[in-house]
Amino acid sequence: DIQMTQSPSSLSASVGDRVTITCRASQNINSYLSWYQQKPGKAPKFLIYGVSSLQSGVPSRFSGSGSGTNFTLTISSLQPEDLATYYCQQTYSRRTFGQGTKVEIK
Amino acid sequence: QVQLQESGPGLVKPSGTLSLTCGVSGDSIISSNWWGWVRQPPGKGLEWIGEIYHSGSSNYNPSLKSRVTISVDKSKNQFSLRLGSVTAADTAVYYCVRDAQGTVGFDHWGQGALVTVSS
């Protein structure tokens, strides 16, 4: 089975900061990588698919990059409403989520 | 717009069977999408349970495969989850999801249903 490892597990940043979350797959997953945002008490929201394609309605401050086994989610300018836990997911073989990265606002 | 809604008992006894149904509106269960389940224990991360295509093809998380069945009811435009031999470790919020085109990701989620396993 494909394992997904995210880092860091949590981070604290100020409004306006650039934030980067990494996700590593245990094997090559080509471009079958998606990202989700989960706000407290809510269902996850689909952010990015195919490594870098933004889902409709997602602010352009969110971006994704990477290939093969190493991937990155970047928030270019952190906003208060970005307080959430972010999960990566591989859709190459069955489905696996990373363990999540909790983003807090300083 | 596409909406998914979970329904089913919120309390299940240990060793019993957890059963949930997901009603789909705004899309047909026989479209080119897959339909699946994800769970989240309190305070923990997301765990993929499995998914099904309207043809009956299915995929399951290997760690749950022996206890899980996902089925489709085309006449009611809904799909269901059954998880047997439950323990307290199966207590979680259960989400039904649409897996877009079977490769893109989970573009629509239900609101989630908390299921507690307790006597």
Side-chain angles (χ1 to χ4, degrees):
Chain A
D1 293 344
I2 300 174
Q3 307 302 316
M4 306 299 290
T5 304
Q6 286 180 236
S7 63
S9 297
S10 65
L11 66 89
S12 181
S14 300
V15 172
D17 282 354
R18 183 181 184 88
V19 169
T20 299
I21 298 168
T22 64
C23 178
R24 176 171 294 178
S26 60
Q27 66 183 72
N28 186 354
I29 58 170
N30 293 324
S31 297
Y32 293 94
L33 192 284
S34 300
W35 289 95
Y36 300 83
Q37 175 194 62
Q38 186 178 32
K39 296 185 177 181
K42 300 293 187 182
K45 174 186 175 182
F46 191 42
L47 285 182
I48 289 172
Y49 60 95
V51 177
S52 59
S53 296
L54 260 61
Q55 177 71 341
S56 175
V58 174
S60 59
R61 63 180 179 274
F62 290 93
S63 64
S65 63
S67 64
T69 61
N70 293 303
F71 305 91
T72 299
L73 172 69
T74 299
I75 308 173
S76 61
S77 178
L78 189 68
Q79 299 301 304
E81 60 266 32
D82 300 334
L83 165 71
T85 300
Y86 294 83
Y87 294 91
C88 62
Q89 179 203 37
Q90 64 84 15
T91 59
Y92 179 77
S93 174
R94 298 191 187 96
R95 306 289 179 261
T96 317
F97 290 99
Q99 80 276 20
T101 296
K102 186 174 183 179
V103 174
E104 298 176 322
I105 310 296
K106 280 183 183 176
Chain B
Q1 73 277 22
V2 178
Q3 291 187 318
L4 289 74
Q5 179 68 59
E6 304 89 352
S7 60
L11 181 64
V12 180
K13 294 186 185 307
S15 78
T17 298
L18 181 159
S19 295
L20 292 172
T21 296
C22 182
V24 179
S25 59
D27 190 12
S28 172
I29 203 81
I30 61 171
S31 66
S32 56
N33 301 302
W34 287 62
W35 307 93
W37 294 92
V38 173
R39 72 179 182 179
Q40 185 171 36
K44 297 188 178 181
L46 303 171
E47 180 180 32
W48 175 70
I49 299 171
E51 60 184 14
I52 192 166
Y53 194 62
H54 62 78
S55 64
S57 295
S58 59
N59 296 304
Y60 297 120
N61 186 324
S63 69
L64 299 170
K65 187 174 182 178
S66 63
R67 300 194 289 132
V68 173
T69 301
I70 298 176
S71 59
V72 167
D73 186 333
K74 300 174 189 177
S75 67
K76 295 182 178 179
N77 212 46
Q78 64 186 30
F79 61 103
S80 299
L81 168 70
R82 287 175 60 85
L83 178 67
S85 304
V86 297
T87 69
D90 296 308
T91 293
V93 174
Y94 286 76
Y95 296 100
C96 58
V97 298
R98 187 179 84 166
D99 189 347
Q101 306 295 316
T103 59
V104 173
F106 301 164
D107 64 346
H108 288 87
W109 295 65
Q111 65 184 23
L114 174 62
V115 179
T116 301
V117 178
S118 175
S119 56

